[in-house]
Amino acid sequence: MILNKQVGMFLNLVHNRFKQYVTAIFEEHGFNITPEQFLVMDTLWDEGVLTQQQIADYLLKDKNSVVKLVDGLEERKLVNRLSNPKDRRQNLIKVTKYALEIKDRVTEAAMAAVDHIINGISKDDMQNFIKVLSKMAENMNNDIDLLALATKYPTVKQ
């Protein structure tokens, strides 16, 4: 198979399988949440109340995708939309008390899933993988700096 074709095919397969695996782990632990919804929740847990646009900016997603993710989180009683008193055209997204209660357990399930997925891969290989992904992202869009984004997330457990 041509290397370029393998890269595209494997990235797509691993991405889809990653989402399926993490979703199954969440379900196994009793959490009705998708990996994408978890990323929104994790951002809100870390950053506090944000607008939908700010969430989109943090996650490098378009605003319409974030609206759908927030809709699902609102249905699951994990977030509330509040009118922004400074700009009524904007919604502020705030985590609920229930979301705060499950934060540690959901995060532990997510981290255990990722630990399983990367099991047997050296730290050096993972760091090189991140560099390669960052370069791929840069080649597609100079505005995206994954290495800068990666500095926000520690590489060792704290």
Side-chain angles (χ1 to χ4, degrees):
M1 187 180 293
I2 299 170
L3 184 59
N4 289 4
K5 187 174 178 181
Q6 276 185 324
V7 169
M9 188 173 97
F10 286 13
L11 279 173
N12 185 55
L13 289 171
V14 170
H15 170 74
N16 288 329
R17 186 63 190 114
F18 178 91
K19 290 191 309 184
Q20 291 169 349
Y21 183 80
V22 175
T23 297
I25 294 298
F26 285 152
E27 289 174 359
E28 196 176 287
H29 285 83
F31 302 115
N32 181 17
I33 189 172
T34 68
E36 293 88 354
Q37 290 170 334
F38 172 76
L39 290 176
V40 172
M41 293 305 304
D42 195 49
T43 300
L44 291 168
W45 286 324
D46 287 349
E47 302 298 330
V49 178
L50 296 172
T51 66
Q52 291 172 165
Q53 185 60 58
Q54 287 172 314
I55 294 168
D57 293 344
Y58 273 101
L59 298 180
L60 304 175
K61 288 192 169 284
D62 65 273
K63 190 175 175 186
N64 290 333
S65 296
V66 171
V67 169
K68 291 177 184 173
L69 291 169
V70 170
D71 287 345
L73 292 168
E74 199 170 35
E75 288 172 17
R76 290 165 174 81
K77 310 286 189 234
L78 294 169
V79 299
N80 291 318
R81 280 186 172 98
L82 311 167
S83 292
N84 186 346
K86 295 178 183 176
D87 185 346
R88 293 178 47 166
R89 297 169 295 169
Q90 290 181 334
N91 287 317
L92 297 174
I93 310 303
K94 181 180 179 180
V95 298
T96 63
K97 183 180 176 190
Y98 170 65
L100 291 172
E101 290 170 3
I102 67 167
K103 173 187 174 187
D104 291 340
R105 292 179 292 146
V106 174
T107 302
E108 286 172 18
M111 295 309 294
V114 174
D115 285 346
H116 178 78
I117 291 167
I118 65 172
N119 184 41
I121 303 171
S122 73
K123 183 177 179 179
D124 285 344
D125 283 347
M126 288 304 303
Q127 289 173 331
N128 286 331
F129 179 63
I130 295 296
K131 288 177 186 173
V132 169
L133 289 175
S134 180
K135 181 61 179 167
M136 293 169 104
E138 180 186 317
N139 288 342
M140 292 181 281
N141 183 344
N142 284 335
D143 295 339
I144 297 174
D145 185 351
L146 290 183
L147 291 180
L149 183 64
T151 61
K152 179 177 176 354
Y153 301 99
T155 57
V156 293
K157 292 181 181 176
Q158 295 183 0

